[in-house]
Amino acid sequence: MQGTPSPESVSTRLQRIAELARKAPELVFTTLAHHIDLELLHEAYGRTRKDGAPGIDGQTATEYAADLGGNLRLLLDRFKSGAYRAPPVRRVYIPKADGKALRPIGIPTFEDKVLQRAVTMVLEAVYEQDFMDCSYGFRPNRSAHQALEALWRGLMDTGGGVVIEVDIKSYFDTIEHRHLRDFLDKRVRDGVLRRAIDKWLKAGVFEEGSVHRAEEGSPQGGVVSPLLANIYLHEVLDTWFAAIVVPRLRAKAFMVRYADDAVIVLASEEDARRVMEVLGKRFARYGLTLHPEKTRMVNFRRPGRAEGPPGSPAGSFDMLGFTWFWGKSRQGNPVVRRKTSSSRFRRALGRIADWCRQHRHEPVAAQHLDLCRKLQGHYAYYGITGNARALSRFLHEVERVWRYWLNRRSARAKMIWERFQRLLQRYPLPPARIVHSVYRIAARP
């Protein structure tokens, strides 16, 4: 059928861009927009989530798909001619991991998501050849669990060291546009693509009935925002650490970054102090601020080694929802262990408690089905080697919360533990299980 997208041809074109970018790391691309055609927009539409919240125009994916071909052709014409206007994003707030503050999220219109996805696909073909191995966040074929694995392997191989937790204050809201444009100039100067990116940066946010336009920042929630944020930190942190910092260090060091969360591990305390002294200055040069309380040095040397700098008394730190600490293996050897961080544990349990309260009057079979899905989702992320105890505790707390709200279905309800145990025999919750095992990964050929 005419106009039907061809994933093979789209993939081939993107692969050619990637090969050219890999072979010529100093090449500046001035013509990329011609790769965005109707076929690529169809592919971008296929990769765009259809169940997301609508933007300020209220248009859903179903409504947009009613005349998909016509909408995409009109979108392509406006994009190529420069007539496309980036609509403001609708701002909502979600709780942060600590549960004490709210994180602003921008929701673009569905059509804007499709175009951002198309531009991101082309830009990723270029920048994936430049990004470094230490970066894992919001990249194709990379995940948080790969970052966790890399950090665990690095700590085990080096025997720990001094850990610098890097926390950037309001990162997405403080990206300076002028620096971002300078970074983009090093690789991409296509006028059509750059014009679209500038429009997204200047589109502003719709909140409380009015549009607010900012001179800095890239709203979280936009499809292209994670890529732009990675480009920014690639220049500010990744390349600086690899090319400037590491050659000047006296001992081994490595870094793992997931989006704006980063951990730097240094074998030498002196090196760590020197890096800590210049880290804030480096970020300030590009308009970024390190969180004064969350950015810190932690002594994470293997037990038995010399004491390190003052930090966490327990010699622990948090990264990607886990608390990292030294423990012992079954053979009694020191090993890096990880458990669900207390803030993430409380947040996950609180969400399930709220759900049980809101759905307590639904049939038990329906509640059981949804709770099983929620627990399996929890295990899918937190089910890593060494975290079995926290998973079991979470399951026990979920059972306790479920029984409590079943007992509140009416004034006469009496869901005593004996009765609840019989209910669990009929509607058992999935047992805690390790989904991501370091031993299975090591056994792969």
Side-chain angles (χ1 to χ4, degrees):
M1 184 175 65
Q2 187 176 4
T4 301
S6 174
E8 293 79 14
S9 62
V10 169
S11 176
T12 301
R13 272 181 287 163
L14 296 179
Q15 186 61 35
R16 287 181 189 148
I17 298 173
E19 290 177 359
L20 183 58
R22 182 170 56 253
K23 292 178 180 178
E26 303 299 325
L27 176 65
V28 178
F29 289 84
T30 57
T31 55
L32 286 172
H34 66 279
H35 291 287
I36 299 180
D37 55 11
L38 197 57
E39 285 184 304
L40 194 137
L41 283 181
H42 271 284
E43 180 69 13
Y45 166 81
R47 298 186 186 186
T48 303
R49 283 186 56 184
K50 311 301 188 297
D51 57 348
I56 62 171
D57 61 355
Q59 187 179 46
T60 64
T62 302
E63 294 170 345
Y64 193 83
D67 184 18
L68 181 60
N71 287 332
L72 292 182
R73 279 191 291 271
L74 181 59
L75 175 62
L76 181 63
D77 291 340
R78 287 182 288 147
F79 169 67
K80 292 294 182 69
S81 66
Y84 182 79
R85 286 191 172 187
V89 298
R90 182 169 64 88
R91 173 160 286 179
V92 297
Y93 293 87
I94 62 173
K96 286 189 175 181
D98 56 11
K100 300 178 181 179
L102 297 176
R103 185 189 305 277
I105 298 293
I107 303 177
T109 64
F110 182 79
E111 183 177 66
D112 207 35
K113 292 178 184 177
V114 173
L115 184 57
Q116 287 191 34
R117 175 62 63 191
V119 171
T120 299
M121 290 165 61
V122 174
L123 291 179
E124 279 181 345
V126 176
Y127 283 101
E128 277 300 311
Q129 318 313 312
D130 298 345
F131 288 158
M132 308 184 77
D133 288 340
C134 65
S135 169
Y136 290 87
F138 304 111
R139 292 181 56 187
N141 303 316
R142 291 202 158 209
S143 67
H145 288 102
Q146 290 176 325
L148 293 168
E149 173 69 13
L151 181 56
W152 187 85
R153 293 285 179 192
L155 289 169
M156 289 296 295
D157 291 342
T158 60
V162 180
V163 170
I164 299 179
E165 292 183 81
V166 181
D167 189 281
I168 307 173
K169 192 174 181 180
S170 302
Y171 171 58
F172 281 85
D173 296 332
T174 55
I175 294 175
E176 291 197 355
H177 294 173
R178 62 188 180 94
H179 290 306
L180 178 59
R181 293 188 184 100
D182 290 341
F183 296 153
L184 289 169
D185 283 342
K186 295 181 179 181
R187 219 39 170 133
V188 176
R189 294 183 186 173
D190 181 282
V192 178
L193 293 185
R194 294 294 299 274
R195 183 170 55 203
I197 293 173
D198 280 342
K199 289 179 179 180
W200 287 321
L201 293 175
K202 297 177 181 178
V205 296
F206 181 80
E207 186 177 15
E208 297 180 352
S210 60
V211 176
H212 306 276
R213 305 189 187 278
E215 296 299 323
E216 60 183 19
S218 180
Q220 286 183 267
V223 177
V224 75
S225 292
L227 175 60
L228 298 179
N230 266 335
I231 293 172
Y232 204 84
L233 278 185
H234 170 73
E235 296 288 344
V236 174
L237 181 59
D238 298 355
T239 57
W240 170 76
F241 181 76
I244 305 298
V245 176
V246 171
R248 290 170 169 79
L249 299 179
R250 297 183 177 182
K252 292 182 179 180
F254 70 95
M255 180 178 68
V256 174
R257 180 175 68 83
Y258 188 90
D260 58 333
D261 292 329
V263 165
I264 302 175
V265 182
L266 304 106
S268 167
E269 177 184 343
E270 182 181 352
D271 286 342
R273 293 190 181 279
R274 291 168 56 201
V275 172
M276 196 70 174
E277 288 177 1
V278 300
L279 195 60
K281 299 176 184 178
R282 173 67 180 180
F283 279 87
R285 179 180 174 184
Y286 296 97
L288 302 177
T289 304
L290 293 177
H291 197 290
E293 298 177 359
K294 297 181 180 179
T295 300
R296 58 179 188 139
M297 290 195 304
V298 178
N299 173 29
F300 201 75
R301 288 183 173 90
R302 179 179 293 160
R305 293 192 173 186
E307 292 299 321
S312 170
S316 64
F317 66 93
D318 285 358
M319 177 66 171
L320 293 176
F322 293 91
T323 297
W324 299 65
F325 60 98
W326 281 100
K328 289 186 177 181
S329 66
R330 293 180 179 179
Q331 291 75 29
N333 299 319
V335 63
V336 176
R337 303 186 70 87
R338 301 162 292 181
K339 66 177 181 179
T340 309
S341 65
S342 57
S343 61
R344 293 294 186 92
F345 190 98
R346 290 193 301 268
R347 185 180 68 171
L349 188 61
R351 288 180 175 177
I352 286 185
D354 290 340
W355 184 91
C356 289
R357 176 179 58 83
Q358 296 170 5
H359 297 82
R360 65 184 182 273
H361 295 299
E362 291 185 3
V364 173
Q367 293 186 44
H368 171 257
L369 182 61
D370 282 342
L371 283 175
C372 287
R373 291 171 178 168
K374 294 179 185 300
L375 279 170
Q376 288 167 351
H378 186 85
Y379 300 156
Y381 184 78
Y382 293 101
I384 65 174
T385 300
N387 200 33
R389 182 176 297 179
L391 295 180
S392 298
R393 180 175 161 235
F394 187 78
L395 173 61
H396 173 74
E397 292 297 324
V398 169
E399 292 176 346
R400 183 185 62 80
V401 167
W402 192 23
R403 187 200 72 85
Y404 175 83
W405 286 110
L406 288 177
N407 195 43
R408 305 271 296 184
R409 284 158 69 96
S410 70
R412 298 180 178 179
K414 294 295 182 182
M415 183 59 70
I416 60 176
W417 271 106
E418 290 76 7
R419 182 182 176 188
F420 183 66
Q421 290 299 324
R422 293 196 299 270
L423 183 142
L424 286 179
Q425 291 179 1
R426 182 175 181 182
Y427 298 105
L429 295 176
R433 68 187 186 96
I434 301 300
V435 179
H436 307 277
S437 170
V438 296
Y439 305 109
R440 286 198 295 268
I441 294 174
R444 291 174 185 168

